[in-house]
């Protein structure tokens, strides 16, 4: 049952131990206020994390929590949800946790589509271990493990999720308190795995890596906030627009001097190709897309009748039979 | 929780704090700044920046009246995101106590 709660109801007595100025503080604030608005009592909520600065989340949210091992949070969360499908399960991890060591677990959590809210706190660096480059670091990132600058091309988390079969993919940034809570609310309401990539500033090891995204003044030109059914417009005067070019599968700016509002493509959250194009606007003249890029629900793992019938019709005897049915033998001598 | 600006800021108003705040939640009075308690994300990055040691976490004891004062004036005064000039005699007020009577309720220029 939902009840009237405040962010205090989700605040623990633990001293928050991120560096002063870390973007994680802003994300924590948004998460607490979102949880309060949603109104699920804390004992029905679980936060599961792997390892990293981002992964300290469960200590700071007064709900059930499990600080697990590096990269394995989606797997542990899968177990939690399987055992107790009524819980509201959140998974929090960094770009290293979710995309390096845990890349494979994230992939399977997404395609399996269990009802999990997965928050990727992307600071494009390994913060906890003092600043090595990560899978989302841009080429040329100088770090203790890449003193001459990194050479690997970064992974695009939203595109990876779309490729893995995720049915909900969204983006926001740490300090966007007028945007992030709304995106989190949508992610929680979505039945199935929802991936939210949150651009996060690591003030110590990768300061201003997302400059332009998180401050109000700059973000109007450097980002576009997409909304279902609305034209893809951005800029201070909302006079710039994006068009989906079906030949190249890419987004382009609307013609200069043209009526952007008329020319711009209307965002459709169920259009997978559009979501892909919006996720990969690499050209520096194009903005970074924020908001719900893709939302096209299908039945989720737990509520999929066929799948659950498959589990529940197997009796103990059947299981015993299955385990000892041929295919096994003793090696003698 | 929130961080709050206390008495030490009055007539010092160095403004070193405003440019480091990631969420731009400082508000400017004529001779003091305050923090908007609902906007502050508790990141603490401003605290060591203040030469007058005027920024404290509200978890410290005895700050109730300052929490209220910050809440009240952040609704009235303009937002400030860029550092302006400190008052010329700021240094003279640095270690003075009992400055509350000096507080001007007039808004600053903001910016
Ligand atoms: C099995 C294992 N390998 C390596 C590590 C070391 N390690 C700890 S956190 C981390 C990466 C942290 O980066 P990220 O997930 O991006 O989180 P952030 O600290 O940036 O929030 C690594 C490599 C570990 N703890 N366990
Ligand atoms: S190292 Fe970076 S990510 Fe980690 S707490 Fe410090 S600022 Fe935040
Ligand atoms: S730095 Fe300190 S004294 Fe200066 S304006 Fe900010 S709070 Fe006031
Ligand atoms: S604690 Fe952080 S968010 Fe709060 S006023 Fe200081 S710098 Fe701004
Ligand atoms: Mg990281």
């Amino acid at each position: 049952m939902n009840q009237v709660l405040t962010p205090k109801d989700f605040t623990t007595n633990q001293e928050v131990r991120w560096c002063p100025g870390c973007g994680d503080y802003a994300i924590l604030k948004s998460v607490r206020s979102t949880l309060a608005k949603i109104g699920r009592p804390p004992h029905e909520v679980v936060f599961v994390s792997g390892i990293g600065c981002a992964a300290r989340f469960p200590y700071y949210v007064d709900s059930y929590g499990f600080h697990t091992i590096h990269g394995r949070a989606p797997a542990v969360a899968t177990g939690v949800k399987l055992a107790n499908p009524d819980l509201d399960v959140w998974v929090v991890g960094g770009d290293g946790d979710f995309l390096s060591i845990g890349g494979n677990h994230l992939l399977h959590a997404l395609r399996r589509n269990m009802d999990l809210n997965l928050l990727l706190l992307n600071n494009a660096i390994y913060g906890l271990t003092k600043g090595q480059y990560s899978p989302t670091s841009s080429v040329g990132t100088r770090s203790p493990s890449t003193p001459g600058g990194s050479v690997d091309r970064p992974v695009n988390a939203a595109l990876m999720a779309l490729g893995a079969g995720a049915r909900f993919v969204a983006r926001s940034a740490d300090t966007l308190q007028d945007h992030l809570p709304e995106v989190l609310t949508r992610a929680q309401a979505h039945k199935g795995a929802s991936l939210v990539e949150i651009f996060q500033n690591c003030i110590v090891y990768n300061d201003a890596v997302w400059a332009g995204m998180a401050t109000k003044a700059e973000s109007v030109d450097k980002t576009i906030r997409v909304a279902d059914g609305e034209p893809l417009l951005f800029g201070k005067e909302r006079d710039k627009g994006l068009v989906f070019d079906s030949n190249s599968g890419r987004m382009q700016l609307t013609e200069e001097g043209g009526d952007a509002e008329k020319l711009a493509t209307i965002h459709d959250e169920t259009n997978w190709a559009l979501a892909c194009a919006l996720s990969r606007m690499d050209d520096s003249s194009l903005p970074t897309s924020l908001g719900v890029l893709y939302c096209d629900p299908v039945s989720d793992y737990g509520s999929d009748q066929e799948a659950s019938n498959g589990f529940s019709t197997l009796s103990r005897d059947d299981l015993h039979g299955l385990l000892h049915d041929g295919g096994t033998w003793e090696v003698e001598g | 929780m929130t961080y709050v600006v206390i008495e030490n800021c009055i007539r010092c108003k160095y403004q070193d704090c405003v440019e480091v705040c990631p969420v731009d939640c400082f508000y400017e009075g004529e001779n003091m700044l305050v923090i908007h308690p609902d906007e502050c994300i508790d990141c603490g990055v401003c605290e060591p920046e203040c030469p007058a040691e005027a920024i404290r976490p509200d978890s410290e004891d005895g700050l109730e009246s300052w929490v209220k004062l910050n809440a009240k004036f952040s609704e009235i005064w303009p937002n400030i995101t860029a550092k302006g000039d400190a008052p010329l005699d700021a240094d003279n007020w640095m270690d003075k106590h009992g400055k509350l009577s000096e507080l001007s309720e007039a808004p600053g220029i903001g910016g």
Side-chain angles (χ1 to χ4, degrees):
Chain A
M1 243 252 318
N2 291 4
Q3 36 179 260
V4 180
L5 295 165
T6 69
K8 274 215 172 89
D9 294 306
F10 291 96
T11 303
T12 60
N13 60 3
Q14 299 293 300
E15 186 195 339
V16 184
R17 294 229 193 107
W18 286 309
C19 307
C22 176
D24 289 347
Y25 286 95
I27 299 169
L28 178 62
K29 180 166 176 143
S30 277
V31 165
R32 283 175 178 160
S33 63
T34 303
L35 291 171
K37 274 225 179 86
I38 291 169
R40 289 284 300 260
H43 70 269
E44 293 177 14
V45 179
V46 188
F47 273 74
V48 184
S49 69
I51 300 292
C53 298
R56 297 193 55 77
F57 240 80
Y59 298 110
Y60 308 139
V61 179
D62 203 2
S63 65
Y64 282 104
F66 196 168
H67 186 187
T68 72
I69 46 174
H70 204 16
R72 274 63 180 176
V76 173
T78 298
V80 171
K81 189 74 186 176
L82 260 186
N84 199 338
D86 293 334
L87 294 175
D88 184 22
V89 184
W90 298 72
V91 190
V92 185
D95 36 308
D97 201 37
F98 268 20
L99 297 168
S100 286
I101 192 167
N104 124 52
H105 290 286
L106 179 66
L107 166 83
H108 298 297
L110 293 173
R111 75 180 176 89
R112 195 171 280 142
N113 200 35
M114 188 165 272
D115 191 12
L116 304 172
N117 315 308
L118 299 136
L119 310 186
L120 164 58
L121 278 47
N122 184 1
N123 54 14
I125 210 82
Y126 291 174
L128 189 77
T129 48
K130 300 194 173 173
Q132 299 80 3
Y133 83 126
S134 89
T136 54
S137 300
S138 51
V139 173
T141 298
R142 283 179 192 275
S143 77
S145 54
T146 51
S150 60
V151 292
D152 312 7
R153 276 179 287 272
V155 62
N156 179 321
L159 260 189
M160 183 206 135
L162 288 164
R167 309 300 301 205
F168 182 101
V169 179
R171 281 180 180 160
S172 191
D174 50 10
T175 55
L176 299 179
Q177 305 288 314
D178 64 337
H179 187 258
L180 180 55
E182 194 187 309
V183 169
L184 295 173
T185 306
R186 286 283 315 273
Q188 195 271 351
H190 175 80
K191 282 285 269 174
S194 22
L195 181 79
V196 183
E197 179 184 23
I198 305 169
F199 299 112
Q200 177 239 329
N201 194 40
C202 169
I203 193 172
V204 175
Y205 297 110
N206 214 9
D207 193 21
V209 64
W210 308 121
M213 249 176 251
T215 62
K216 278 179 216 150
E218 280 185 292
S219 69
V220 286
D221 287 318
K222 298 205 167 145
T223 65
I224 180 166
R225 295 185 180 193
V226 307
D228 196 34
E230 302 282 332
L232 293 164
L233 295 175
F234 67 109
K236 199 169 177 200
E237 312 293 336
R238 288 178 64 76
D239 55 351
K240 296 192 252 185
L242 295 176
V243 183
F244 178 68
D245 175 46
S246 54
N247 287 326
S248 63
R250 295 284 195 154
M251 302 309 298
Q252 293 175 345
L253 287 174
T254 49
E255 240 171 84
E256 220 171 304
D259 182 348
E261 191 163 355
K262 278 210 184 107
L263 295 171
T265 297
I266 306 288
H267 184 46
D268 172 5
E269 286 177 352
T270 64
N271 184 333
W272 186 83
L274 179 62
C276 290
L278 284 170
S279 302
R280 68 190 290 238
M281 295 193 285
D282 306 331
D283 189 310
S284 61
S285 68
L286 297 175
T288 301
S289 55
L290 301 177
V292 179
L293 305 179
Y294 185 63
C295 176
D296 189 16
V298 288
S299 59
D300 62 296
Y301 199 62
S303 64
D304 186 328
Q305 269 314 313
E306 226 171 290
S308 45
N309 284 347
F311 300 137
S312 55
T313 52
L314 209 59
S315 71
R316 231 164 232 278
D317 285 343
D318 289 340
L319 186 64
H320 188 267
L322 193 67
L323 289 173
H324 298 273
D325 168 34
T328 61
W329 58 88
E330 268 172 53
V331 179
E332 279 173 37
Chain B
M1 202 194 117
T2 174
Y3 278 74
V4 288
V5 182
I6 61 164
E7 181 174 17
N8 301 29
C9 180
I10 298 170
R11 297 201 73 161
C12 285
K13 202 181 148 186
Y14 289 105
Q15 301 162 56
D16 296 33
C17 51
V18 298
E19 293 196 347
V20 299
C21 177
V23 290
D24 297 337
C25 66
F26 282 92
Y27 290 78
E28 185 185 14
E30 190 178 34
N31 64 14
M32 181 192 186
L33 299 193
V34 289
I35 292 172
H36 198 304
D38 297 336
E39 293 174 5
C40 172
I41 55 166
D42 313 328
C43 75
V45 75
C46 56
E47 185 186 357
E49 295 294 321
C50 176
E53 297 183 13
I55 303 176
R56 301 286 164 77
D58 75 346
S59 48
E60 276 181 22
D61 288 337
L63 296 181
E64 292 77 10
S65 65
W66 293 101
V67 175
K68 278 197 195 130
L69 190 142
N70 277 248
K72 175 178 164 194
F73 286 109
S74 58
E75 291 289 345
I76 304 171
W77 292 346
N79 189 231
I80 174 171
T81 58
K83 185 176 172 184
D85 295 325
L88 292 172
D89 60 347
D91 292 351
N92 301 341
W93 290 93
M94 181 93 128
D95 300 312
K96 297 244 161 63
H97 296 286
K99 291 197 281 183
L100 185 56
S101 58
E102 296 288 328
L103 173 71
S104 162
E105 297 200 357
I109 340 163

